[in-house]
Amino acid sequence: MDDVAVMSDSTITLVYRGPRKRAALWRPAVEAKCSQIRWQNWPDEVSNPADVQILVTWLPPEDYLSLFPNLKVIFSVGMGVDQFSPQQLPEHIQLVRMQDENVRASMIEYLTGAVMMLHRDSYSYAQLQQQTLWQPSRPKLAHQRTVGVIGLGFLGKAVAEHFATLGFKVNGWSRSPKTIDNVASYHGQNQLRDFMQSVDCLICLLPLTPATENMLNRDTLSWLPPGASIINVGRGQHLVDEDLLALLDNEHLSHAVLDVFREEPLKQEHPFWTHPKVHITPHVAALVVEESAAELMADNIQAWLQQTPVSGSIDKTRGY
Ligand code: NDP
Ligand code: OXD
């Protein structure tokens, strides 16, 4: 960080790219806490791109690194930061994401719905209803199923804890070992196969990095027991679409609940739309709540200006 620029009393230019409705909430919150900030909405209010030190956005403008040569920090308005390719950002640019507790609460709600639909065979009964078929099967209890969570970070850890309180067996997988009450921890590539073999319902809550891209593929998904299901709320690029479809079609996997896709919006002709075992939501599992996030963003910008720890700061080498 450039101490001289940040510590001086002069104004600091922040460029915001995104919906104006959100800017109307966030701008006053940021300006109230950080008097030296000069907020400019992209593109019409940006007077001199060379002044820009702070970028607040979900997606950056094209060629933003050359456009804003004095950029020092990017605040993502979401949780994931893969859209900024963190490992390729220049060393001097700090990257910060939202760590919004409301997002975590929303993710738990979404996943509770999805896991319960799968657990109680509700997707299968909906299909049987279409065919006016009365075909009961004996329901299992939560303690007879294992929910597996890959990615045990800000979201995944809370999700794993939540399903343990609902009575499920819960196993989690991450890069480093974890100690979480009532959650069996697996970590690293060496333990991935054992982990996958233990799971009835797999939840992907990994960040997208070069190490996690395509990791839900024919090999790894085949390690799941027959009849298992998957829920992807991480990123579409974690999943090899054709491999999932093949494993659903050969009945190795029973259902897939997908909230994220390689290309969003999902193309009209994509086979996921019409596959009877694929259940789609349009990337809505957990959205930043704009009202509460206004304060979070203002606190973070203030912390950055004061050179104190910023919540949600990304380790660019790891990519998350
Ligand atoms: P965090 O960065 O807090 O946690 C990431 C977790 O993944 C950590 O436990 C980390 O392990 C693990 N991990 C990372 N790389 C690897 C690897 N190579 N092998 C094994 N484990 C790995 O992420 P969050 O929980 O905040 O969010 C996860 C993702 O959820 C986001 O990046 C985003 O893509 C997605 N998301 C989706 C939303 C939606 O609406 N669908 C909403 C919000 C987020 P370790 O702890 O050992 O470092
Ligand atoms: C996020 C998301 O990362 O919505 O915030 O996926």
Side-chain angles (χ1 to χ4, degrees):
M1 195 183 294
D2 179 342
D3 294 357
V4 178
V6 172
M7 296 308 290
S8 77
D9 288 336
S10 59
T11 57
I12 293 185
T13 302
L14 174 157
V15 162
Y16 163 86
R17 180 179 197 230
R20 292 302 157 92
K21 192 169 151 269
R22 183 167 59 204
L25 283 170
W26 290 12
R27 183 179 194 153
V30 169
E31 286 175 346
K33 277 216 166 100
C34 315
S35 54
Q36 67 272 57
I37 290 289
R38 188 168 48 155
W39 179 293
Q40 298 182 343
N41 288 321
W42 171 266
D44 41 303
E45 293 178 5
V46 178
S47 43
N48 180 10
D51 288 342
V52 175
Q53 295 188 40
I54 303 176
L55 176 61
V56 176
T57 189
W58 171 245
L59 288 177
E62 213 172 306
D63 294 329
Y64 69 105
L65 292 177
S66 22
L67 187 64
F68 305 135
N70 294 310
L71 187 64
K72 293 193 170 59
V73 61
I74 302 169
F75 289 92
S76 170
V77 304
M79 302 276 294
V81 289
D82 45 283
Q83 65 277 34
F84 300 104
S85 303
Q87 287 156 324
Q88 285 159 35
L89 279 177
E91 209 179 315
H92 68 276
I93 296 186
Q94 195 177 344
L95 179 58
V96 182
R97 68 176 183 146
M98 275 280 161
Q99 278 199 173
D100 185 353
E101 283 176 23
N102 283 322
V103 171
R104 189 156 55 185
S106 182
M107 185 58 85
I108 289 173
E109 286 184 11
Y110 177 92
L111 290 172
T112 305
V115 169
M116 286 305 182
M117 289 286 283
L118 294 163
H119 171 55
R120 293 307 305 250
D121 301 319
S122 303
Y123 291 118
S124 302
Y125 286 124
Q127 280 155 14
L128 289 172
Q129 183 178 349
Q130 300 287 318
Q131 303 162 61
T132 61
L133 284 174
W134 182 273
Q135 281 180 6
S137 52
R138 183 165 288 277
K140 286 193 175 181
L141 290 171
H143 72 262
Q144 297 173 297
R145 295 218 204 253
T146 302
V147 172
V149 184
I150 51 174
L152 294 171
F154 182 76
L155 299 174
K157 176 174 180 284
V159 164
E161 288 169 335
H162 170 72
F163 283 107
T165 66
L166 293 183
F168 289 94
K169 285 187 217 150
V170 183
N171 295 347
W173 182 78
S174 47
R175 202 178 40 84
S176 55
K178 305 278 177 230
T179 306
I180 306 173
D181 283 350
N182 302 314
V183 177
S185 159
Y186 295 69
H187 70 280
Q189 286 300 324
N190 289 345
Q191 295 185 3
L192 182 59
R193 188 178 187 138
D194 284 351
F195 166 81
M196 295 292 268
Q197 286 174 340
S198 73
V199 167
D200 298 309
C201 177
L202 180 76
I203 297 172
C204 175
L205 264 170
L206 288 168
L208 178 64
T209 68
T212 64
E213 188 170 2
N214 298 327
M215 72 156 288
L216 298 176
N217 55 48
R218 194 168 187 125
D219 290 339
T220 56
L221 292 174
S222 299
W223 294 337
L224 292 167
S229 50
I230 77 157
I231 303 173
N232 189 15
V233 281
R235 284 289 180 264
Q237 290 85 344
H238 288 131
L239 177 69
V240 180
D241 296 359
E242 312 74 66
D243 292 358
L244 171 68
L245 288 166
L247 289 163
L248 288 169
D249 289 340
N250 74 12
E251 310 219 321
H252 182 71
L253 297 180
S254 61
H255 289 277
V257 178
L258 306 177
D259 184 56
V260 288
F261 304 91
R262 285 179 177 264
E263 202 175 333
E264 296 180 1
L266 185 63
K267 283 242 162 70
Q268 281 299 313
E269 58 276 17
H270 198 292
F272 283 163
W273 279 114
T274 49
H275 198 288
K277 295 177 180 170
V278 177
H279 314 285
I280 285 173
T281 48
H283 200 146
V284 289
L287 303 181
V288 163
V289 176
E290 293 183 344
E291 289 74 11
S292 54
E295 280 310 307
L296 191 57
M297 181 58 77
D299 286 344
N300 262 353
I301 292 173
Q302 186 183 45
W304 182 80
L305 291 169
Q306 293 172 347
Q307 296 184 297
T308 55
V310 179
S311 101
S313 194
I314 297 297
D315 176 339
K316 290 188 295 173
T317 316
R318 287 187 325 190
Y320 66 97

